Every structure is written in C-alpha cells, then in structure tokens.
Amino acid sequence: MQNYSNKVYKEEQKYLDEFKPVSDNHSKKKQVTQRMKVKEYDIIEKEKAIARAPSQYKFDSSTTQILETLITLRHAGEFHNIVGKGLNSVVIHAHCHRNYHLYFPEGNAVKVYKLTNGVEKNNAIYRRVEREYEHLEILQTQYFSNNTPHPVYRNKNVIVMSFIGYDQETAPSISTLPPEKLNEAYEKIVKEIDAWYNKLGLIHGSLSATKIVGNKYFIGWSHSVRKDHPMAFRKLMKDCQFVSEFFKSRGVLVKSPEELFKFITGREKINSKVLEVVQKDLWKTSQTSNHSNPNRKSTSHTKTTQNRFKR
C-alpha cells in the first residue's frame, strides 16, 4: 500500500504541475478545476479497488456502504485485519490515507456494531456510538488528552478513532507492566479518573486491565456516562473497585474502593445502592472484557468473528 500511495502521489503532483493555471482567464481556471475533480475521482476509485472489500466481513448493505464511504472521505486508505471483537461489535484496523498519515501514523480503529431487525435496538446502538464519539471529543478538545483515542468519524453504527498500537498490533495491557512501574501507574490512573469526573463531568464506567494499554492509554469508552447520569455513581464505584483491587493484588499500597470513591467525589457518605457494585460485577467484567475492548486483538480465529456478522 505504501508503494502504491507513493506512486499515486507522484502521478497526482505531476498532473497538478501540468495543469497549473497560466493566466487569470476564468474559463481556463474552470476547465482546470473540472479536470482536477475528474483526476481526484479516479484516484479515489483506484484506492477503493486496492482496499480490501468491506463486503468480505459479511456486514449488511447499509454498513458496507458506510465503510466504502470511509475511503471516499479519506478516513481509511485500506482495511486490514479484525483486531478486536465484542458480543455485538468488531474492530477493523484501517490504514490511514496519506493526507492523515502524519497525524495517525499507526492507522485507525474502525469499530462496527452489528445491527438487528429491531428499530429500538438499532437506535440504542446509534445513541451509544454518538455518546462515545461525543465523550472522546470532550476529552480531546477540553482536556487535550493524549491518553485517549482521537475521534475521527462516526455514522450510525460505525465509529472511527485513532488506533492505539504498533504495526497493526494492539498495545499491551497494563497487566504486562513490570513491578517497579506499578506505583507510578496507580497514581496516574487515579489522577485521570479524578480529572475526568471533576473537570469534564465524565466517568469511564468500564475500566479493566484491557482498557488501559501501553502504560498510559485509556480505551473502550462505549460505556462512559456523564456525572449526572442515573447510573453514574455505580459506574464510578465499579471503576474504583477495579483500580483498587487490581493494584492491591500486585502489592501496591492503595486506597480502598470506598476511600477512592470519596476522594474523587468529595462525599462523606455513600449510598447503599452504590455499594451494591460487588466483586461479582468485577468478575463478570473480567470475563467479558475480551468482548468489550475496541482496540484489543482477537484471540479467536478471524473467520469465526466474521461469520457472526453474516446476514
């Protein structure tokens, strides 16, 4: 793809040099503009031809059309392998078009939710994608976060964000950290959760070892909520429980989940319903974390994941 992109780039530059306006004649400029548009269309069509056909992923026609649009809009230059899977979603690594390669050198993660025959369920999926995109935008524009995926594009059941990893491989999870770096990581995570809540009014709501990768990146924001959400405190307590239990099991001196919750919220008392987020919930999260991480590589055979999306 790299060689192909360089070749197309050289051809495009040669074309542009050939048809630079030599006068201010309006008709001449109009003619050049029209021919440039034709050339641009041809380039896009060639990129579509070399990119892996989205239809092979067994998506419905509406989703396939959206994926093809990503190439037209230059949000993707080539689709690669499935790098993550969920109960109702898959994530495809996509090569960035050369116009954006400088900003996202590792490419993009294209997360696709499977649609159903139910209008209400599909609308819920659309709202989830919209919410995740909105919260990532808040993190980027208000918090200037370098530790979360950059939102690129969304359309119905598809969301595109910058890929966290190298060479089409997802970044390693926090579980791989050496012992000498655990204390620093704990302090950093607590600081981030506090900033999300008190500066942005956001709660991740689904933190796990696989949602913290590369020692500093926080991914998997599909379950995030605002602090005024009815389930906000329960989700925050769930995050606090994960952080406390994870680092305590590795010998780090930590605050208890209740202490961490009070530290972040500034509350002296905790509602009993919030405390109902018990270890059982954490166990359930750890068992399903492989299915909810939008940047984690699937350990199952790709064909199995693709067949689950066959109509």
Short mmCIF file of all heavy atoms in Angstrom, two decimals, residues 2-66:
data_model
loop_
_atom_site.label_atom_id
_atom_site.label_comp_id
_atom_site.label_asym_id
_atom_site.label_seq_id
_atom_site.Cartn_x
_atom_site.Cartn_y
_atom_site.Cartn_z
N GLN A 2 2.03 1.15 0.73
CA GLN A 2 2.90 2.30 0.80
C GLN A 2 3.45 2.66 -0.57
O GLN A 2 3.48 3.82 -0.97
CB GLN A 2 4.05 1.98 1.77
CG GLN A 2 4.99 3.15 2.01
CD GLN A 2 4.30 4.29 2.73
OE1 GLN A 2 3.41 4.06 3.52
NE2 GLN A 2 4.69 5.51 2.43
N ASN A 3 3.90 1.62 -1.32
CA ASN A 3 4.43 1.86 -2.66
C ASN A 3 3.36 2.41 -3.58
O ASN A 3 3.60 3.28 -4.40
CB ASN A 3 5.01 0.56 -3.24
CG ASN A 3 6.22 0.10 -2.46
OD1 ASN A 3 6.91 0.92 -1.84
ND2 ASN A 3 6.48 -1.20 -2.47
N TYR A 4 2.17 1.85 -3.42
CA TYR A 4 1.07 2.32 -4.26
C TYR A 4 0.76 3.77 -3.98
O TYR A 4 0.59 4.59 -4.90
CB TYR A 4 -0.17 1.46 -4.00
CG TYR A 4 -1.41 1.98 -4.71
CD1 TYR A 4 -1.63 1.70 -6.06
CD2 TYR A 4 -2.33 2.76 -4.03
CE1 TYR A 4 -2.74 2.19 -6.71
CE2 TYR A 4 -3.44 3.25 -4.67
CZ TYR A 4 -3.65 2.96 -6.01
OH TYR A 4 -4.76 3.44 -6.64
N SER A 5 0.71 4.16 -2.68
CA SER A 5 0.39 5.53 -2.31
C SER A 5 1.43 6.49 -2.85
O SER A 5 1.11 7.57 -3.34
CB SER A 5 0.30 5.64 -0.79
OG SER A 5 -0.74 4.84 -0.31
N ASN A 6 2.72 6.12 -2.77
CA ASN A 6 3.78 6.99 -3.29
C ASN A 6 3.64 7.18 -4.79
O ASN A 6 3.84 8.27 -5.32
CB ASN A 6 5.15 6.39 -2.97
CG ASN A 6 5.45 6.43 -1.49
OD1 ASN A 6 4.89 7.26 -0.77
ND2 ASN A 6 6.30 5.54 -1.02
N LYS A 7 3.28 6.10 -5.48
CA LYS A 7 3.13 6.16 -6.93
C LYS A 7 1.98 7.09 -7.30
O LYS A 7 2.11 7.94 -8.19
CB LYS A 7 2.88 4.77 -7.49
CG LYS A 7 2.75 4.73 -9.00
CD LYS A 7 2.54 3.30 -9.49
CE LYS A 7 2.38 3.25 -11.00
NZ LYS A 7 2.16 1.87 -11.48
N VAL A 8 0.85 6.93 -6.60
CA VAL A 8 -0.31 7.79 -6.87
C VAL A 8 0.02 9.24 -6.57
O VAL A 8 -0.35 10.16 -7.29
CB VAL A 8 -1.52 7.33 -6.05
CG1 VAL A 8 -2.67 8.32 -6.19
CG2 VAL A 8 -1.96 5.94 -6.49
N TYR A 9 0.76 9.45 -5.46
CA TYR A 9 1.11 10.82 -5.06
C TYR A 9 1.95 11.50 -6.14
O TYR A 9 1.71 12.65 -6.50
CB TYR A 9 1.87 10.79 -3.74
CG TYR A 9 2.34 12.14 -3.27
CD1 TYR A 9 1.46 13.04 -2.67
CD2 TYR A 9 3.67 12.53 -3.44
CE1 TYR A 9 1.87 14.29 -2.26
CE2 TYR A 9 4.09 13.78 -3.02
CZ TYR A 9 3.20 14.66 -2.43
OH TYR A 9 3.61 15.89 -2.02
N LYS A 10 2.94 10.77 -6.69
CA LYS A 10 3.79 11.33 -7.73
C LYS A 10 2.98 11.64 -8.98
O LYS A 10 3.18 12.68 -9.63
CB LYS A 10 4.92 10.37 -8.05
CG LYS A 10 5.94 10.24 -6.93
CD LYS A 10 7.03 9.25 -7.29
CE LYS A 10 8.04 9.12 -6.16
NZ LYS A 10 9.11 8.14 -6.49
N GLU A 11 2.06 10.73 -9.33
CA GLU A 11 1.23 10.96 -10.50
C GLU A 11 0.34 12.18 -10.30
O GLU A 11 0.13 12.98 -11.22
CB GLU A 11 0.36 9.72 -10.77
CG GLU A 11 1.16 8.51 -11.24
CD GLU A 11 0.26 7.31 -11.46
OE1 GLU A 11 -0.94 7.41 -11.11
OE2 GLU A 11 0.74 6.28 -11.96
N GLU A 12 -0.18 12.32 -9.09
CA GLU A 12 -1.05 13.45 -8.81
C GLU A 12 -0.28 14.77 -8.89
O GLU A 12 -0.76 15.75 -9.46
CB GLU A 12 -1.65 13.28 -7.41
CG GLU A 12 -2.66 14.36 -7.05
CD GLU A 12 -3.27 14.12 -5.69
OE1 GLU A 12 -2.78 13.23 -4.97
OE2 GLU A 12 -4.23 14.81 -5.35
N GLN A 13 0.93 14.79 -8.32
CA GLN A 13 1.73 16.00 -8.37
C GLN A 13 2.10 16.36 -9.81
O GLN A 13 2.10 17.53 -10.19
CB GLN A 13 2.99 15.82 -7.52
CG GLN A 13 2.71 15.73 -6.03
CD GLN A 13 1.99 16.96 -5.51
OE1 GLN A 13 2.37 18.10 -5.82
NE2 GLN A 13 0.95 16.75 -4.74
N LYS A 14 2.44 15.33 -10.60
CA LYS A 14 2.76 15.56 -12.00
C LYS A 14 1.58 16.16 -12.74
O LYS A 14 1.71 17.08 -13.56
CB LYS A 14 3.18 14.25 -12.65
CG LYS A 14 3.59 14.38 -14.10
CD LYS A 14 4.02 13.03 -14.66
CE LYS A 14 4.40 13.15 -16.14
NZ LYS A 14 4.79 11.83 -16.70
N TYR A 15 0.40 15.63 -12.41
CA TYR A 15 -0.82 16.14 -13.05
C TYR A 15 -1.06 17.60 -12.66
O TYR A 15 -1.35 18.45 -13.51
CB TYR A 15 -2.01 15.28 -12.63
CG TYR A 15 -3.34 15.80 -13.13
CD1 TYR A 15 -3.81 15.46 -14.39
CD2 TYR A 15 -4.11 16.63 -12.33
CE1 TYR A 15 -5.01 15.95 -14.85
CE2 TYR A 15 -5.31 17.12 -12.78
CZ TYR A 15 -5.77 16.77 -14.04
OH TYR A 15 -6.95 17.26 -14.49
N LEU A 16 -0.92 17.89 -11.36
CA LEU A 16 -1.17 19.26 -10.90
C LEU A 16 -0.18 20.24 -11.51
O LEU A 16 -0.54 21.37 -11.85
CB LEU A 16 -1.09 19.30 -9.37
CG LEU A 16 -2.17 18.52 -8.63
CD1 LEU A 16 -1.93 18.57 -7.13
CD2 LEU A 16 -3.55 19.06 -8.96
N ASP A 17 1.09 19.84 -11.64
CA ASP A 17 2.09 20.71 -12.25
C ASP A 17 1.75 20.99 -13.71
O ASP A 17 1.97 22.08 -14.22
CB ASP A 17 3.47 20.06 -12.15
CG ASP A 17 3.97 20.02 -10.71
OD1 ASP A 17 3.46 20.81 -9.90
OD2 ASP A 17 4.83 19.18 -10.41
N GLU A 18 1.22 19.97 -14.36
CA GLU A 18 0.91 20.10 -15.79
C GLU A 18 -0.23 21.08 -16.03
O GLU A 18 -0.25 21.79 -17.04
CB GLU A 18 0.56 18.72 -16.36
CG GLU A 18 0.24 18.75 -17.84
CD GLU A 18 -0.14 17.37 -18.36
OE1 GLU A 18 -0.03 16.39 -17.58
OE2 GLU A 18 -0.53 17.27 -19.53
N PHE A 19 -1.16 21.12 -15.09
CA PHE A 19 -2.35 21.94 -15.31
C PHE A 19 -2.44 23.15 -14.39
O PHE A 19 -3.51 23.58 -14.04
CB PHE A 19 -3.60 21.07 -15.16
CG PHE A 19 -3.76 20.05 -16.24
CD1 PHE A 19 -3.40 18.72 -16.01
CD2 PHE A 19 -4.22 20.39 -17.50
CE1 PHE A 19 -3.54 17.77 -17.00
CE2 PHE A 19 -4.35 19.45 -18.49
CZ PHE A 19 -4.00 18.14 -18.25
N LYS A 20 -1.31 23.65 -13.96
CA LYS A 20 -1.33 24.89 -13.19
C LYS A 20 -1.83 26.03 -14.08
O LYS A 20 -1.43 26.14 -15.24
CB LYS A 20 0.07 25.23 -12.68
CG LYS A 20 0.50 24.40 -11.49
CD LYS A 20 1.88 24.82 -11.02
CE LYS A 20 2.29 24.01 -9.82
NZ LYS A 20 3.66 24.37 -9.36
N PRO A 21 -2.70 26.88 -13.57
CA PRO A 21 -3.20 28.00 -14.38
C PRO A 21 -2.07 28.92 -14.80
O PRO A 21 -1.20 29.28 -14.00
CB PRO A 21 -4.17 28.72 -13.42
CG PRO A 21 -4.54 27.67 -12.42
CD PRO A 21 -3.34 26.81 -12.26
N VAL A 22 -2.07 29.31 -16.04
CA VAL A 22 -1.03 30.18 -16.56
C VAL A 22 -1.54 31.60 -16.76
O VAL A 22 -0.80 32.49 -17.13
CB VAL A 22 -0.49 29.65 -17.91
CG1 VAL A 22 0.21 28.33 -17.69
CG2 VAL A 22 -1.62 29.49 -18.93
N SER A 23 -2.83 31.81 -16.51
CA SER A 23 -3.40 33.13 -16.66
C SER A 23 -4.58 33.25 -15.71
O SER A 23 -4.96 32.31 -15.04
CB SER A 23 -3.87 33.37 -18.11
OG SER A 23 -4.96 32.54 -18.41
N ASP A 24 -5.16 34.40 -15.67
CA ASP A 24 -6.32 34.64 -14.82
C ASP A 24 -7.62 34.45 -15.59
O ASP A 24 -8.70 34.87 -15.14
CB ASP A 24 -6.27 36.07 -14.26
CG ASP A 24 -5.11 36.23 -13.28
OD1 ASP A 24 -4.73 35.22 -12.69
OD2 ASP A 24 -4.62 37.36 -13.16
N ASN A 25 -7.54 33.87 -16.77
CA ASN A 25 -8.73 33.65 -17.57
C ASN A 25 -9.69 32.74 -16.82
O ASN A 25 -9.33 31.63 -16.40
CB ASN A 25 -8.33 33.02 -18.90
CG ASN A 25 -9.52 32.88 -19.82
OD1 ASN A 25 -10.30 31.96 -19.66
ND2 ASN A 25 -9.63 33.79 -20.78
N HIS A 26 -10.94 33.21 -16.64
CA HIS A 26 -11.91 32.47 -15.83
C HIS A 26 -12.23 31.10 -16.43
O HIS A 26 -12.31 30.11 -15.71
CB HIS A 26 -13.19 33.29 -15.71
CG HIS A 26 -14.27 32.60 -14.92
ND1 HIS A 26 -14.19 32.44 -13.55
CD2 HIS A 26 -15.43 32.02 -15.32
CE1 HIS A 26 -15.26 31.79 -13.13
NE2 HIS A 26 -16.03 31.52 -14.17
N SER A 27 -12.43 31.04 -17.73
CA SER A 27 -12.77 29.78 -18.38
C SER A 27 -11.62 28.78 -18.24
O SER A 27 -11.85 27.57 -18.09
CB SER A 27 -13.09 30.02 -19.86
OG SER A 27 -11.98 30.57 -20.54
N LYS A 28 -10.39 29.28 -18.31
CA LYS A 28 -9.23 28.39 -18.17
C LYS A 28 -9.19 27.80 -16.77
O LYS A 28 -8.98 26.60 -16.60
CB LYS A 28 -7.95 29.19 -18.45
CG LYS A 28 -6.66 28.39 -18.27
CD LYS A 28 -6.53 27.27 -19.29
CE LYS A 28 -5.20 26.58 -19.18
NZ LYS A 28 -5.06 25.47 -20.14
N LYS A 29 -9.42 28.61 -15.76
CA LYS A 29 -9.42 28.12 -14.38
C LYS A 29 -10.54 27.12 -14.16
O LYS A 29 -10.37 26.10 -13.49
CB LYS A 29 -9.59 29.29 -13.41
CG LYS A 29 -8.36 30.16 -13.28
CD LYS A 29 -8.59 31.22 -12.21
CE LYS A 29 -7.31 32.04 -12.01
NZ LYS A 29 -7.49 33.07 -10.95
N LYS A 30 -11.69 27.39 -14.74
CA LYS A 30 -12.82 26.49 -14.59
C LYS A 30 -12.53 25.14 -15.22
O LYS A 30 -12.85 24.08 -14.67
CB LYS A 30 -14.07 27.11 -15.22
CG LYS A 30 -15.33 26.29 -15.03
CD LYS A 30 -16.54 27.01 -15.60
CE LYS A 30 -17.81 26.18 -15.38
NZ LYS A 30 -19.00 26.86 -15.92
N GLN A 31 -11.89 25.17 -16.37
CA GLN A 31 -11.56 23.94 -17.07
C GLN A 31 -10.55 23.12 -16.25
O GLN A 31 -10.68 21.91 -16.13
CB GLN A 31 -10.97 24.27 -18.45
CG GLN A 31 -10.62 23.02 -19.26
CD GLN A 31 -10.00 23.38 -20.61
OE1 GLN A 31 -9.61 24.52 -20.81
NE2 GLN A 31 -9.93 22.43 -21.50
N VAL A 32 -9.55 23.81 -15.72
CA VAL A 32 -8.55 23.12 -14.89
C VAL A 32 -9.20 22.51 -13.66
O VAL A 32 -8.92 21.37 -13.28
CB VAL A 32 -7.43 24.09 -14.48
CG1 VAL A 32 -6.50 23.44 -13.45
CG2 VAL A 32 -6.64 24.53 -15.70
N THR A 33 -10.09 23.25 -13.02
CA THR A 33 -10.78 22.76 -11.82
C THR A 33 -11.58 21.50 -12.13
O THR A 33 -11.57 20.53 -11.36
CB THR A 33 -11.71 23.84 -11.25
OG1 THR A 33 -10.95 25.00 -10.93
CG2 THR A 33 -12.43 23.35 -10.00
N GLN A 34 -12.31 21.50 -13.22
CA GLN A 34 -13.10 20.34 -13.61
C GLN A 34 -12.22 19.12 -13.86
O GLN A 34 -12.54 18.01 -13.43
CB GLN A 34 -13.92 20.67 -14.86
CG GLN A 34 -15.03 21.67 -14.60
CD GLN A 34 -15.77 22.04 -15.87
OE1 GLN A 34 -15.27 21.81 -16.97
NE2 GLN A 34 -16.95 22.62 -15.73
N ARG A 35 -11.09 19.34 -14.54
CA ARG A 35 -10.20 18.21 -14.84
C ARG A 35 -9.55 17.69 -13.57
O ARG A 35 -9.29 16.49 -13.43
CB ARG A 35 -9.15 18.65 -15.85
CG ARG A 35 -9.76 19.06 -17.18
CD ARG A 35 -8.72 19.39 -18.23
NE ARG A 35 -7.96 18.20 -18.62
CZ ARG A 35 -7.06 18.20 -19.60
NH1 ARG A 35 -6.79 19.33 -20.24
NH2 ARG A 35 -6.42 17.10 -19.91
N MET A 36 -9.27 18.58 -12.62
CA MET A 36 -8.70 18.15 -11.34
C MET A 36 -9.70 17.31 -10.55
O MET A 36 -9.33 16.33 -9.90
CB MET A 36 -8.27 19.37 -10.52
CG MET A 36 -7.03 20.07 -11.06
SD MET A 36 -6.59 21.55 -10.13
CE MET A 36 -6.13 20.81 -8.56
N LYS A 37 -10.97 17.67 -10.62
CA LYS A 37 -12.00 16.89 -9.95
C LYS A 37 -12.11 15.49 -10.54
O LYS A 37 -12.28 14.51 -9.83
CB LYS A 37 -13.35 17.61 -10.04
CG LYS A 37 -13.46 18.85 -9.17
CD LYS A 37 -14.84 19.48 -9.27
CE LYS A 37 -14.95 20.68 -8.36
NZ LYS A 37 -16.30 21.32 -8.46
N VAL A 38 -12.00 15.41 -11.85
CA VAL A 38 -12.03 14.10 -12.51
C VAL A 38 -10.84 13.27 -12.06
O VAL A 38 -10.97 12.07 -11.79
CB VAL A 38 -12.03 14.27 -14.05
CG1 VAL A 38 -11.85 12.92 -14.73
CG2 VAL A 38 -13.32 14.94 -14.51
N LYS A 39 -9.68 13.90 -12.00
CA LYS A 39 -8.47 13.20 -11.57
C LYS A 39 -8.62 12.71 -10.13
O LYS A 39 -8.25 11.59 -9.80
CB LYS A 39 -7.28 14.15 -11.68
CG LYS A 39 -5.95 13.51 -11.30
CD LYS A 39 -5.52 12.46 -12.31
CE LYS A 39 -4.15 11.92 -12.00
NZ LYS A 39 -3.72 10.90 -12.96
N GLU A 40 -9.16 13.56 -9.27
CA GLU A 40 -9.37 13.19 -7.87
C GLU A 40 -10.32 12.00 -7.76
O GLU A 40 -10.10 11.08 -6.97
CB GLU A 40 -9.93 14.38 -7.10
CG GLU A 40 -10.09 14.16 -5.60
CD GLU A 40 -8.78 14.21 -4.87
OE1 GLU A 40 -7.75 14.53 -5.51
OE2 GLU A 40 -8.76 13.90 -3.68
N TYR A 41 -11.36 12.01 -8.56
CA TYR A 41 -12.32 10.90 -8.56
C TYR A 41 -11.63 9.61 -8.98
O TYR A 41 -11.85 8.55 -8.38
CB TYR A 41 -13.46 11.22 -9.52
CG TYR A 41 -14.44 10.08 -9.69
CD1 TYR A 41 -15.43 9.84 -8.76
CD2 TYR A 41 -14.35 9.22 -10.80
CE1 TYR A 41 -16.33 8.78 -8.91
CE2 TYR A 41 -15.23 8.17 -10.96
CZ TYR A 41 -16.22 7.96 -10.02
OH TYR A 41 -17.09 6.91 -10.17
N ASP A 42 -10.78 9.68 -9.99
CA ASP A 42 -10.07 8.48 -10.45
C ASP A 42 -9.15 7.93 -9.37
O ASP A 42 -9.05 6.72 -9.19
CB ASP A 42 -9.25 8.81 -11.71
CG ASP A 42 -10.13 9.07 -12.92
OD1 ASP A 42 -11.30 8.63 -12.88
OD2 ASP A 42 -9.66 9.72 -13.87
N ILE A 43 -8.49 8.82 -8.65
CA ILE A 43 -7.60 8.38 -7.57
C ILE A 43 -8.37 7.66 -6.49
O ILE A 43 -7.97 6.60 -5.99
CB ILE A 43 -6.84 9.59 -6.98
CG1 ILE A 43 -5.87 10.15 -8.00
CG2 ILE A 43 -6.10 9.20 -5.70
CD1 ILE A 43 -5.20 11.43 -7.57
N ILE A 44 -9.52 8.21 -6.11
CA ILE A 44 -10.34 7.59 -5.07
C ILE A 44 -10.83 6.22 -5.52
O ILE A 44 -10.83 5.25 -4.75
CB ILE A 44 -11.55 8.50 -4.72
CG1 ILE A 44 -11.06 9.76 -4.03
CG2 ILE A 44 -12.55 7.76 -3.83
CD1 ILE A 44 -12.15 10.77 -3.75
N GLU A 45 -11.24 6.10 -6.77
CA GLU A 45 -11.71 4.82 -7.27
C GLU A 45 -10.59 3.78 -7.28
O GLU A 45 -10.82 2.60 -6.98
CB GLU A 45 -12.27 5.00 -8.69
CG GLU A 45 -13.58 5.77 -8.75
CD GLU A 45 -14.65 5.12 -7.89
OE1 GLU A 45 -14.91 3.91 -8.06
OE2 GLU A 45 -15.22 5.81 -7.03
N LYS A 46 -9.36 4.20 -7.59
CA LYS A 46 -8.24 3.27 -7.53
C LYS A 46 -7.98 2.81 -6.11
O LYS A 46 -7.65 1.66 -5.85
CB LYS A 46 -6.99 3.94 -8.12
CG LYS A 46 -7.04 4.12 -9.63
CD LYS A 46 -5.77 4.78 -10.14
CE LYS A 46 -5.81 4.95 -11.65
NZ LYS A 46 -4.58 5.61 -12.17
N GLU A 47 -8.10 3.74 -5.15
CA GLU A 47 -7.89 3.38 -3.75
C GLU A 47 -8.96 2.41 -3.28
O GLU A 47 -8.70 1.51 -2.50
CB GLU A 47 -7.89 4.64 -2.89
CG GLU A 47 -6.64 5.50 -3.10
CD GLU A 47 -6.71 6.80 -2.33
OE1 GLU A 47 -7.82 7.16 -1.90
OE2 GLU A 47 -5.66 7.43 -2.17
N LYS A 48 -10.18 2.60 -3.74
CA LYS A 48 -11.25 1.67 -3.40
C LYS A 48 -10.95 0.28 -3.93
O LYS A 48 -11.21 -0.74 -3.28
CB LYS A 48 -12.59 2.15 -3.97
CG LYS A 48 -13.23 3.27 -3.18
CD LYS A 48 -14.59 3.58 -3.77
CE LYS A 48 -15.31 4.66 -2.99
NZ LYS A 48 -16.65 4.95 -3.54
N ALA A 49 -10.39 0.23 -5.15
CA ALA A 49 -10.11 -1.06 -5.78
C ALA A 49 -9.03 -1.83 -5.05
O ALA A 49 -9.12 -3.05 -4.89
CB ALA A 49 -9.71 -0.84 -7.24
N ILE A 50 -8.00 -1.13 -4.54
CA ILE A 50 -6.91 -1.82 -3.88
C ILE A 50 -7.23 -2.12 -2.42
O ILE A 50 -6.68 -3.04 -1.83
CB ILE A 50 -5.61 -0.99 -3.95
CG1 ILE A 50 -4.41 -1.87 -3.62
CG2 ILE A 50 -5.65 0.21 -3.03
CD1 ILE A 50 -3.08 -1.20 -3.87
N ALA A 51 -8.13 -1.35 -1.80
CA ALA A 51 -8.51 -1.61 -0.42
C ALA A 51 -9.29 -2.91 -0.34
O ALA A 51 -9.99 -3.29 -1.27
CB ALA A 51 -9.36 -0.46 0.12
N ARG A 52 -9.14 -3.58 0.79
CA ARG A 52 -9.88 -4.83 0.98
C ARG A 52 -11.37 -4.56 0.96
O ARG A 52 -11.85 -3.67 1.67
CB ARG A 52 -9.47 -5.46 2.31
CG ARG A 52 -10.22 -6.75 2.63
CD ARG A 52 -9.70 -7.37 3.90
NE ARG A 52 -8.33 -7.83 3.75
CZ ARG A 52 -7.63 -8.41 4.73
NH1 ARG A 52 -8.19 -8.56 5.90
NH2 ARG A 52 -6.41 -8.82 4.52
N ALA A 53 -12.09 -5.30 0.18
CA ALA A 53 -13.53 -5.06 0.04
C ALA A 53 -14.24 -5.27 1.37
O ALA A 53 -14.15 -6.34 1.95
CB ALA A 53 -14.11 -6.00 -1.00
N PRO A 54 -14.95 -4.25 1.88
CA PRO A 54 -15.66 -4.40 3.15
C PRO A 54 -16.68 -5.53 3.13
O PRO A 54 -17.04 -6.07 4.16
CB PRO A 54 -16.35 -3.04 3.33
CG PRO A 54 -15.55 -2.10 2.50
CD PRO A 54 -15.08 -2.92 1.32
N SER A 55 -17.17 -5.91 1.96
CA SER A 55 -18.20 -6.93 1.87
C SER A 55 -17.74 -8.28 2.41
O SER A 55 -18.55 -9.11 2.81
CB SER A 55 -18.66 -7.10 0.41
OG SER A 55 -17.56 -7.46 -0.41
N GLN A 56 -16.42 -8.52 2.43
CA GLN A 56 -15.95 -9.81 2.90
C GLN A 56 -16.16 -9.99 4.41
O GLN A 56 -16.08 -11.09 4.92
CB GLN A 56 -14.46 -9.97 2.59
CG GLN A 56 -13.55 -9.13 3.45
CD GLN A 56 -12.10 -9.50 3.24
OE1 GLN A 56 -11.68 -10.58 3.58
NE2 GLN A 56 -11.37 -8.60 2.63
N TYR A 57 -16.46 -8.89 5.13
CA TYR A 57 -16.71 -9.00 6.55
C TYR A 57 -18.15 -9.40 6.85
O TYR A 57 -18.54 -9.47 8.01
CB TYR A 57 -16.39 -7.67 7.24
CG TYR A 57 -14.94 -7.31 7.17
CD1 TYR A 57 -14.52 -6.15 6.52
CD2 TYR A 57 -13.97 -8.14 7.73
CE1 TYR A 57 -13.19 -5.82 6.45
CE2 TYR A 57 -12.64 -7.82 7.66
CZ TYR A 57 -12.24 -6.66 7.02
OH TYR A 57 -10.92 -6.33 6.95
N LYS A 58 -18.96 -9.63 5.83
CA LYS A 58 -20.33 -10.11 5.97
C LYS A 58 -21.23 -9.09 6.68
O LYS A 58 -22.11 -9.46 7.45
CB LYS A 58 -20.36 -11.44 6.73
CG LYS A 58 -19.43 -12.50 6.19
CD LYS A 58 -19.73 -12.84 4.74
CE LYS A 58 -18.79 -13.91 4.21
NZ LYS A 58 -18.99 -14.20 2.79
N PHE A 59 -20.99 -7.81 6.45
CA PHE A 59 -21.86 -6.79 7.02
C PHE A 59 -23.09 -6.61 6.15
O PHE A 59 -23.11 -6.99 4.98
CB PHE A 59 -21.12 -5.45 7.14
CG PHE A 59 -19.97 -5.47 8.10
CD1 PHE A 59 -18.71 -5.09 7.68
CD2 PHE A 59 -20.14 -5.86 9.41
CE1 PHE A 59 -17.64 -5.09 8.56
CE2 PHE A 59 -19.09 -5.87 10.29
CZ PHE A 59 -17.84 -5.49 9.88
N ASP A 60 -24.12 -5.98 6.73
CA ASP A 60 -25.31 -5.66 5.95
C ASP A 60 -24.96 -4.56 4.95
O ASP A 60 -23.91 -3.91 5.04
CB ASP A 60 -26.44 -5.21 6.88
CG ASP A 60 -26.06 -4.00 7.69
OD1 ASP A 60 -25.45 -4.18 8.77
OD2 ASP A 60 -26.34 -2.88 7.25
N SER A 61 -25.84 -4.36 3.99
CA SER A 61 -25.57 -3.42 2.90
C SER A 61 -25.37 -2.00 3.40
O SER A 61 -24.52 -1.26 2.88
CB SER A 61 -26.70 -3.45 1.87
OG SER A 61 -27.95 -3.13 2.49
N SER A 62 -26.13 -1.58 4.42
CA SER A 62 -26.01 -0.23 4.95
C SER A 62 -24.63 -0.01 5.57
O SER A 62 -23.98 1.02 5.33
CB SER A 62 -27.09 0.01 6.00
OG SER A 62 -26.91 1.26 6.64
N THR A 63 -24.16 -1.00 6.35
CA THR A 63 -22.84 -0.88 6.98
C THR A 63 -21.74 -0.91 5.94
O THR A 63 -20.77 -0.16 6.01
CB THR A 63 -22.64 -2.02 8.00
OG1 THR A 63 -23.67 -1.96 9.00
CG2 THR A 63 -21.28 -1.92 8.67
N THR A 64 -21.88 -1.79 4.94
CA THR A 64 -20.88 -1.87 3.88
C THR A 64 -20.76 -0.54 3.15
O THR A 64 -19.65 -0.10 2.81
CB THR A 64 -21.25 -2.97 2.87
OG1 THR A 64 -21.30 -4.23 3.56
CG2 THR A 64 -20.23 -3.06 1.75
N GLN A 65 -21.88 0.12 2.92
CA GLN A 65 -21.86 1.41 2.25
C GLN A 65 -21.13 2.46 3.08
O GLN A 65 -20.38 3.29 2.55
CB GLN A 65 -23.29 1.88 1.97
CG GLN A 65 -23.37 3.16 1.15
CD GLN A 65 -24.81 3.53 0.81
OE1 GLN A 65 -25.75 2.90 1.27
NE2 GLN A 65 -24.96 4.56 0.00
N ILE A 66 -21.32 2.41 4.40
CA ILE A 66 -20.62 3.34 5.28
C ILE A 66 -19.11 3.11 5.22
O ILE A 66 -18.32 4.05 5.16
CB ILE A 66 -21.12 3.20 6.73
CG1 ILE A 66 -22.59 3.66 6.83
CG2 ILE A 66 -20.26 4.02 7.69
CD1 ILE A 66 -23.21 3.43 8.19
#
